């Protein structure tokens, strides 16, 4: 092996084939980057573990090309009805803001994994089951990982390693990352059952018994696809309690030796259900513990990032508000497009360091918020329901201040650099007979430069946009799509750029613009650069791209 050029068996090795690892693998293969994905389990688990999918994650699934199959396998989530001591005390709706393309959704985790595995297999990658990462060494040029399977140990040389191996992560421990936090004293049990009752479809049911304001008994029912099917969680009876602390000291996850039976679940239903009902068809059950922890870093220190952690390997917390799996999927989504540029040799020197800079603050906020929500209730910290819904939907994530996001220009309106690029409806283009959404135009694979021409735009401004487009494509090594979005009356018919017409003015309204503007959208849908209401600025676009591309 050369000291300056390594030879890899695989560009990226991924440990863990849950939703996080599968997302990373799929996003890499969509960009033509080879990877191997390993998992110690011989068969995929059949637990409805994480069931809530947020609107932001559905946007990601749309970009990945798996949205239809995800929606086919799940059911809507409209809100939650809360009972205390047998009386309804609250009904929380989950209205979707008009500018958001998807609502809240429930799907068993094993179905999510099935869809992602199926799409990954279509791209020539299958999960290597029964293969466990037992250790690794890393240097400036790559990672040498030891993988154990039924054929013995093998050494895999990879350019990069992603630890998506869960709460008891080998990758995290081997890197020596801290995992500060604590465990909740309460233990819980889960069961996947069916009931025939009059509760409205699409609503979670939370029923509590309280004594002097303190909850001492609990039943939470989350809807699953099927007639009257729910994932029910409740406090565990004494006969099923146990220490359930792994060898790494992390008390988090399922117990393999204590399985609740239907009568255990029925006993809680008899005490707490809003109406008399009999549970049936127990598909699976388990006892589990909850901890709240987060690593000190998501990757190695600046300049030596070859190994990364994502999902439960980086952060664990209460399931309140269904934030865990969604946050992990977005970890992987954020990391994969950056890794693909690094493997391709076109990444700016600090690009991979931005993964920790962007995602760890998000993980820290989610851990803190879900702990508070578990104790006080979702939204107890805000009187603004729109804010709470958008936050729980993970639509308010903001990367302003990231080393790869251009400093936001002073503006009093419109989206700023670092924010999620809003979707837009009512766009049209030649040959397409109907209108379409902005998100359907974005590939979610490459960067996209949106250049907006207002109603008064003339040929000179269009020529300026064409110059910016050429410079931007060159700066991005060709890994950039450019569209000219024009107000209806704009004189842009002769442009050489792909032309999109803002037929209904929704783009101008949503982005709060009327004159020439530029928006650089990253593959993950966040704005890396905004030039709002001003002359076309080729230097600004180039500088923004140099933060990502060498």
């Amino acid at each position: 092996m050369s000291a300056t050029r390594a030879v890899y068996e695989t560009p990226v090795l991924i440990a863990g084939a849950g939703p996080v690892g599968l997302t990373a693998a799929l996003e890499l293969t969509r960009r033509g980057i080879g990877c191997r994905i390993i998992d110690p389990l011989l068969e995929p688990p059949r637990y409805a573990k994480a069931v809530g999918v947020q609107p932001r994650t559905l946007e990601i699934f749309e970009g990945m090309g798996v949205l239809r199959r995800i929606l086919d396998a799940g059911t809507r989530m409209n809100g939650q009805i809360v009972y205390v001591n047998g009386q309804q005390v609250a009904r929380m709706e989950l209205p979707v803001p008009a500018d958001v393309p998807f609502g809240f959704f429930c799907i068993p985790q094993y179905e999510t994994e099935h869809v992602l595995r199926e799409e990954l297999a279509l791209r020539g990658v299958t999960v290597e089951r029964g293969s466990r990462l037992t250790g690794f060494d890393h240097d400036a040029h790559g990672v040498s990982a030891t993988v154990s399977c039924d054929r013995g140990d093998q050494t895999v040389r990879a350019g990069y390693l992603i630890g998506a191996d869960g709460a008891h992560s080998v990758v995290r421990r081997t890197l020596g990352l801290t995992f500060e936090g604590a465990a909740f004293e309460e233990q819980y049990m889960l069961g996947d059952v069916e009931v025939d009752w009059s509760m409205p479809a699409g609503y979670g049911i939370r029923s509590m018994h309280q004594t002097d304001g303190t909850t001492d008994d609990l039943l939470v029912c989350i809807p699953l696809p099927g007639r009257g099917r729910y994932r029910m969680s409740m406090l565990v009876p004494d006969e099923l309690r146990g220490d359930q602390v792994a060898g790494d000291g992390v008390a988090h996850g399922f117990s393999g030796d204590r399985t609740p039976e239907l009568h255990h679940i029925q006993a809680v239903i008899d005490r707490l259900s809003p109406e008399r009902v009999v549970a049936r068809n127990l598909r699976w059950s388990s006892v589990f513990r909850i901890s709240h922890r987060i690593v000190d870093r998501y990757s190695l220190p600046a300049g030596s990032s070859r190994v990364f952690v994502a999902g439960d390997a980086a952060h664990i917390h209460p399931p309140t508000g269904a934030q865990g799996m969604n946050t992990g999927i977005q970890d992987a989504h954020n990391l994969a497009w950056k890794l693909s540029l690094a493997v391709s040799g076109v990444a700016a020197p600090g690009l991979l360091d931005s993964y920790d800079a962007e995602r760890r603050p998000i993980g820290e906020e989610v851990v803190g918020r879900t702990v508070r929500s578990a104790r006080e209730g979702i939204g107890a910290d805000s009187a603004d329901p729109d804010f709470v819904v958008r936050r729980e939907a993970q639509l308010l994530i903001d990367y302003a201040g990231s080393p790869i996001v251009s400093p936001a220009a002073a503006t009093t309106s419109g989206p700023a650099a670092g924010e999620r690029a809003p979707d837009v409806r009512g766009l049209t283009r030649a040959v397409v007979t109907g209108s379409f959404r902005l998100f359907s135009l974005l590939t979610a694979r490459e960067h996209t430069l949106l250049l907006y021409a207002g109603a008064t735009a003339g040929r000179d401004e269009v020529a300026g946009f064409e110059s910016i487009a050429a410079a931007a494509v060159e700066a991005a090594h060709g890994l950039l799509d450019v569209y000219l979005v024009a107000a209806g009356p704009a004189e842009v018919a002769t442009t050489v750029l792909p032309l999109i017409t803002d037929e209904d003015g929704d783009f101008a309204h949503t982005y709060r613009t009327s004159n020439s503007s530029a928006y650089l959208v990253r593959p993950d849908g966040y704005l890396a650069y905004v030039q709002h209401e001003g002359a076309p600025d080729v230097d600004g676009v180039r500088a923004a791209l140099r933060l990502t591309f060498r």
Side-chain angles (χ1 to χ4, degrees):
M1 182 181 298
S2 167
T4 58
R5 183 174 178 81
V7 177
Y8 304 121
E9 179 182 341
T10 183
V12 183
L13 176 65
I14 301 169
V20 177
L22 291 168
T23 296
L26 185 51
E27 285 296 276
L28 288 167
T29 57
R30 284 205 315 127
R31 295 170 172 85
I33 304 301
C35 66
R36 289 178 62 179
I37 179 169
I38 62 174
D39 195 282
L41 297 180
L42 294 174
E43 296 290 338
R46 293 289 296 176
Y47 297 154
K49 181 182 176 185
V51 300
V53 175
Q54 304 297 348
R56 173 58 189 151
T57 305
L58 292 178
E59 293 177 356
I60 290 173
F61 287 156
E62 180 182 35
M64 293 168 65
V66 299
L67 178 64
R68 178 189 60 79
R69 282 169 285 169
I70 290 289
L71 295 181
D72 288 349
T75 188
R76 70 188 187 276
M77 178 68 168
N78 294 328
Q80 179 177 251
I81 303 173
V82 180
Y83 294 83
V84 174
N85 296 344
Q87 300 297 314
Q88 181 176 326
V89 297
R91 179 170 175 146
M92 182 178 71
E93 306 291 337
L94 293 173
V96 180
D99 60 305
V100 177
F102 305 113
F104 294 83
F105 189 68
C106 291
I107 176 175
Q109 181 173 323
Y110 62 80
E111 292 285 8
T112 300
E113 293 177 4
H114 173 75
V115 171
L116 296 178
R117 277 198 313 273
E118 187 177 65
E119 182 68 16
L120 189 60
L122 291 174
R123 298 176 181 275
V125 178
T126 57
V127 176
E128 300 176 34
R129 296 216 162 268
S131 296
R132 179 186 301 273
L133 178 73
T134 57
F136 61 87
D137 294 314
H138 54 94
D139 54 41
H141 305 293
V143 180
S144 295
T146 301
V147 176
S148 297
C149 60
D150 58 1
R151 300 182 303 277
D153 290 352
Q154 60 175 295
T155 299
V156 177
R157 182 65 178 173
Y160 299 91
L161 170 64
I162 299 176
D165 48 345
H168 307 291
S169 169
V170 171
V171 175
R172 183 186 65 240
R173 295 200 309 270
T174 304
L175 281 180
L177 303 177
T178 64
F179 205 35
E180 297 298 329
F184 281 79
E185 181 180 349
E186 299 88 354
Q187 297 186 31
Y188 299 86
M189 61 182 179
L190 288 177
D192 180 346
V193 298
E194 294 176 7
V195 290
D196 290 321
W197 60 10
S198 63
M199 296 292 103
Y203 283 82
I205 305 299
R206 182 181 181 90
S207 181
M208 299 170 284
H209 182 273
Q210 294 184 345
T211 302
D212 297 328
T214 300
T215 299
D216 49 30
D217 207 357
L218 175 69
L219 171 66
V220 178
C221 311
I222 304 297
L224 293 174
R227 184 171 289 107
R229 183 183 172 196
Y230 292 83
R231 189 204 69 183
M232 295 189 177
S233 60
M234 57 213 77
L235 295 174
V236 74
D238 290 341
E239 65 189 274
L240 295 177
R241 289 180 64 88
D243 291 338
Q244 200 179 340
V245 178
D248 58 6
V250 177
H252 190 86
F254 291 152
S255 168
D257 58 353
R258 287 169 290 142
T259 303
E261 299 180 6
L262 191 58
H263 70 86
H264 294 112
I265 295 169
Q266 186 64 52
V268 181
I269 292 174
D270 290 343
R271 295 196 304 269
L272 294 176
S273 173
E275 59 188 60
R276 294 183 62 84
V277 68
V278 176
R280 66 178 188 278
N281 195 12
L282 177 63
R283 290 173 171 84
W284 66 269
S285 63
S286 183
V287 172
F288 72 103
R289 288 286 303 273
I290 299 172
S291 289
H292 50 95
R293 295 177 181 270
I294 187 165
V295 291
D296 54 330
R297 291 194 60 85
Y298 280 27
S299 62
L300 292 172
S304 56
S305 299
R306 287 279 174 175
V307 185
F308 308 85
V309 290
D312 283 359
H315 48 80
I316 53 176
H317 38 79
T320 318
Q323 300 294 297
M325 180 185 71
N326 293 271
T327 302
I329 286 173
Q330 293 181 56
D331 290 341
H333 195 249
N334 181 287
L335 175 60
W337 71 263
K338 298 171 181 178
L339 264 184
S340 70
L341 296 181
V343 172
S344 300
V346 298
L351 180 61
L352 293 182
D353 295 328
S354 72
Y355 170 62
D356 175 79
E358 291 184 346
R359 293 305 300 173
R360 190 185 181 283
I362 302 302
E364 189 171 33
E365 188 276 334
V366 169
V367 170
R369 171 160 50 89
T370 53
V371 170
R372 292 192 301 272
S373 295
R375 292 168 176 161
E376 303 168 12
I378 296 174
D381 60 338
S382 174
D384 182 350
D386 182 74
F387 168 79
V388 171
V389 167
R390 289 179 185 272
R391 183 183 63 185
E392 297 302 311
Q394 299 197 340
L395 298 172
L396 299 181
I397 292 170
D398 190 341
Y399 296 134
S402 164
I404 63 167
V405 170
S406 295
T411 179
T412 57
S413 63
E419 295 179 2
R420 162 185 167 272
D423 198 10
V424 170
R425 295 174 173 83
L427 301 177
T428 63
R429 69 183 304 178
V431 181
V432 178
T433 58
S435 62
F436 57 89
R437 295 166 41 234
L438 175 63
F439 281 7
S440 67
L441 188 69
L442 307 179
T443 66
R445 190 178 64 216
E446 316 291 2
H447 280 68
T448 302
L449 180 61
L450 302 173
L451 302 169
Y452 181 79
T456 61
R459 293 183 179 178
D460 289 345
E461 285 183 72
V462 172
F465 280 143
E466 291 172 350
S467 296
I468 289 177
V473 170
E474 181 181 14
H477 300 266
L479 302 175
L480 176 76
D481 297 316
V482 183
Y483 293 98
L484 180 59
V485 182
E491 298 179 14
V492 296
T494 59
T495 183
V496 297
L497 298 174
L499 178 61
I500 309 298
T501 303
D502 186 22
E503 190 70 30
D504 298 332
D506 194 36
F507 188 98
H509 172 75
T510 301
Y511 282 75
R512 300 293 191 269
T513 186
S514 58
N515 297 315
S516 297
S517 305
Y519 307 90
L520 180 61
V521 186
R522 306 182 339 174
D524 55 7
Y526 290 88
L527 291 163
Y529 169 82
V530 171
Q531 176 257 311
H532 194 66
E533 302 284 354
D537 181 6
V538 65
D539 291 335
V541 173
R542 274 203 195 103
L545 287 166
R546 279 197 296 269
L547 298 174
T548 294
F549 297 91
R550 64 168 173 80

